[in-house]
Amino acid sequence: MNNCTTRAFEFLEGISPGSYAGLIRYTLERGGIVHSSPDCFCVAIPDEDDPHTVLILFQCSRLSALWRLAEMYRCQFTHVRFRRDFKNRYPERCVPIDKFLHKSSLAGRIS
């Protein structure tokens, strides 16, 4: 099985050649976060309207890895907004980062 970074590359390049590098460049130009590891690929930028909110532009990860990443940035951001139109055409969703992290403990208790 491919790791998350490879899967993200293949998915984005399948949409449009060069989109993987373009999204990383876009993120870095806006002072964003590029996280690339075997269990989590995530690109996010500070929200232009609210610098305490981080907008996840794209992520491919195991939820546990995304929760660890959110925990790392918990002091910098109060809310996390998910852009969900790449794959499922869902509207964006914004949640307090503490509420998002609380779900990690719920998942641990269920499993």
Side-chain angles (χ1 to χ4, degrees):
M1 184 170 170
N2 293 338
N3 70 36
C4 290
T5 299
T6 302
R7 288 178 29 217
F9 174 83
E10 290 171 351
F11 180 82
L12 291 168
E13 291 299 302
I15 293 173
S16 174
S19 61
Y20 178 82
L23 187 57
I24 291 173
R25 188 176 319 107
Y26 178 87
T27 302
L28 294 175
E29 288 171 352
R30 282 152 186 78
I33 300 162
V34 176
H35 181 84
S36 180
S37 66
D39 64 351
C40 181
F41 176 82
C42 181
V43 287
I45 58 173
D47 187 310
E48 291 180 4
D49 297 326
D50 180 5
H52 299 290
T53 297
V54 62
L55 171 60
I56 296 181
L57 300 173
F58 182 85
Q59 65 90 21
C60 175
S61 68
R62 296 184 179 116
L63 273 177
S64 59
L66 191 58
W67 285 321
R68 283 194 312 272
L69 183 61
E71 182 67 41
M72 288 171 35
Y73 288 94
R74 184 182 207 170
C75 295
Q76 186 175 349
F77 299 105
T78 59
H79 287 77
V80 59
R81 204 167 61 150
F82 294 91
R83 195 178 147 185
R84 306 181 315 161
D85 60 343
F86 274 107
K87 187 174 180 182
N88 299 316
R89 306 284 186 240
Y90 296 138
E92 287 183 3
R93 183 162 184 218
C94 185
V95 296
I97 203 163
D98 288 337
K99 184 177 179 181
F100 177 71
L101 289 170
H102 177 69
K103 292 179 187 266
S104 68
S105 63
L106 290 174
R109 287 192 299 244
I110 291 170
S111 59

